[in-house]
Amino acid sequence: MKKIDASDKETKLKVSNYVVDVNSKDFLTVKEASILLNMSSKTVYRLIEQKELNAFNFSVRKTLIRRKDIDSYFENNLISPDYVNPNRESEINPNNSYTINEAIEKFNISNGALYNIIKRHNIPKKKYGKYTLVKKEDLNKIFQ
């Protein structure tokens, strides 16, 4: 039992030292970045490939990411500027909203395209009798 406890303590000490070491570095490998971000290495590589995360390839086997690029990635992606709070259904009424058909005609888009935009931007909608209402302010912000 003492050997197991000693092994557990040693493992925890190594892991905690590694985390502190990663937090203090200015340049991280993909593996270190994935540990820091709590995501897989493949996801980090995908973010790099999609140009969402800035990195530099020194060779096929060596890719480094600046710590400040990881921080700026989070600052830029926490809340997008066109984000609409979906918990505002109570603010929707016929006076400040378009019906789906009115929005389709005004913005000259298809029904499917409008629903995709509503879903992608988390725009709240509300049933009102046989109509579905969407706040004018929210749609105008996207189509301006």
Side-chain angles (χ1 to χ4, degrees):
M1 196 65 160
K2 289 181 181 180
K3 285 184 178 181
I4 294 173
D5 290 338
S7 175
D8 285 347
K9 286 179 184 178
E10 185 178 332
T11 303
K12 287 178 184 178
L13 183 64
K14 284 182 180 180
V15 169
S16 66
N17 285 342
Y18 187 72
V19 171
V20 170
D21 187 36
V22 168
N23 284 329
S24 63
K25 287 185 171 183
D26 288 334
F27 295 94
L28 304 171
T29 64
V30 172
K31 183 178 180 181
E32 292 169 338
S34 68
I35 290 169
L36 181 69
L37 298 171
N38 196 24
M39 58 178 62
S40 72
S41 297
K42 284 186 177 189
T43 303
V44 174
Y45 279 116
R46 191 173 338 106
L47 290 172
I48 293 168
E49 185 180 309
Q50 295 171 346
K51 306 275 190 239
E52 291 186 35
L53 190 59
N54 196 15
F56 186 78
N57 291 341
F58 287 96
S59 68
V60 176
R61 302 181 133 240
K62 189 69 167 179
T63 301
L64 290 181
I65 305 164
R66 288 187 306 184
R67 178 62 192 257
K68 72 179 189 178
D69 288 332
I70 292 174
D71 295 337
S72 67
Y73 171 75
F74 277 104
E75 289 173 13
N76 295 336
N77 291 302
L78 279 178
I79 297 181
S80 66
D82 57 354
Y83 175 78
V84 177
N85 184 353
N87 299 324
R88 298 184 346 188
E89 245 184 64
S90 60
E91 298 175 10
I92 299 173
N93 63 55
N95 299 328
N96 68 356
S97 304
Y98 296 120
T99 64
I100 295 297
N101 286 335
E102 290 172 343
I104 288 170
E105 289 175 19
K106 176 165 173 73
F107 299 112
N108 196 23
I109 60 172
S110 71
N111 191 14
L114 180 62
Y115 274 103
N116 283 336
I117 289 169
I118 289 170
K119 186 175 183 177
R120 186 177 333 127
H121 295 281
N122 292 324
I123 297 174
K125 58 186 189 291
K126 181 179 182 180
K127 283 297 259 180
Y128 185 78
K130 66 178 186 175
Y131 300 105
T132 301
L133 301 177
V134 180
K135 211 166 174 195
K136 290 179 181 180
E137 168 190 335
D138 297 339
L139 288 179
N140 289 338
K141 186 190 310 183
I142 290 170
F143 286 104
Q144 63 185 348

